[in-house]
Amino acid sequence: MNADEERQFREFVAARSRSLLHTAYLLTGDWEQGRDLLQTALASTARRWSHLRDRQQPEIYVRRALYHAQVDRFRLLSWGRETVTDALPDQPSTQSADWADTVVQRQDIMAALRRLPKRQRAVIVLRYFEDRPDSEIAEILGVAQGTVRSQTHKALVSLRTSLAEAGLSTTASTASGKGVSA
């Protein structure tokens, strides 16, 4: 990578890393794992930066790298690992009831997202948290638009069921302010 390409890459990372980190967090369900996932995707992108055909849209390449890195990571790690501890986690502080309800709702939504299969989770994140159209989601994930629609439908059914079991309305707000109902 020459100096000009390196400058372009650094500018891209500076401009888009916050949004990409949120996507990585939503894909993994954990900030630290999200940071690691983003670092992996950006390292992959940096190696290919000078070979990218469409330099105007590197974000699609990075998002695809995020998704594929998450799938690879999932395959390598044993699914559903638990950490054994002899002490209970910290108890929530006594904040106002509204704030506590918001935190619980977010935790329930994140737990429901984590239970989705990886492709369904990616489709939900890209559509409802990043407001991307079917065609772009299909391009990022390397699947047909019909697959995006069917995966969205299956994911929404699963999310509605999980959220109903948790006692949340199926129109619970998401990070973008949009509900998860279709």
Side-chain angles (χ1 to χ4, degrees), residues 37-157:
L37 183 65
L38 178 58
Q39 185 69 27
T40 300
L42 288 175
S44 172
T45 304
R47 285 190 299 272
R48 302 272 310 147
W49 188 258
S50 60
H51 302 294
L52 290 177
R53 286 185 299 251
D54 186 2
R55 296 299 285 276
Q56 302 303 315
Q57 298 239 340
E59 190 164 346
I60 290 175
Y61 184 88
V62 175
R63 290 184 188 283
R64 181 177 283 171
L66 277 172
Y67 168 71
H68 288 291
Q70 174 62 6
V71 169
D72 291 345
R73 178 180 285 203
F74 177 74
R75 288 178 184 153
L76 292 174
L77 298 174
S78 62
W79 184 77
R81 287 190 316 197
E82 295 181 7
T83 304
V84 179
T85 180
D86 60 345
L88 292 174
D90 292 337
Q91 298 297 318
S93 63
T94 56
Q95 296 175 337
S96 69
D98 291 339
W99 178 250
D101 289 342
T102 301
V103 170
V104 169
Q105 284 179 343
R106 285 183 183 169
Q107 289 175 337
D108 289 341
I109 290 170
M110 286 306 302
L113 274 172
R114 278 191 294 274
R115 285 190 292 272
L116 290 175
K118 299 299 181 189
R119 183 175 287 170
Q120 289 179 15
R121 183 188 311 174
V123 168
I124 292 297
V125 168
L126 291 169
R127 169 161 298 153
Y128 293 104
F129 289 86
E130 295 193 3
D131 200 27
R132 300 203 179 267
D134 285 351
S135 59
E136 193 172 325
I137 295 169
E139 184 179 344
I140 290 170
L141 300 181
V143 298
Q145 287 187 36
T147 302
V148 170
R149 288 189 290 273
S150 69
Q151 293 295 301
T152 300
H153 174 74
K154 290 175 185 175
L156 289 176
V157 167

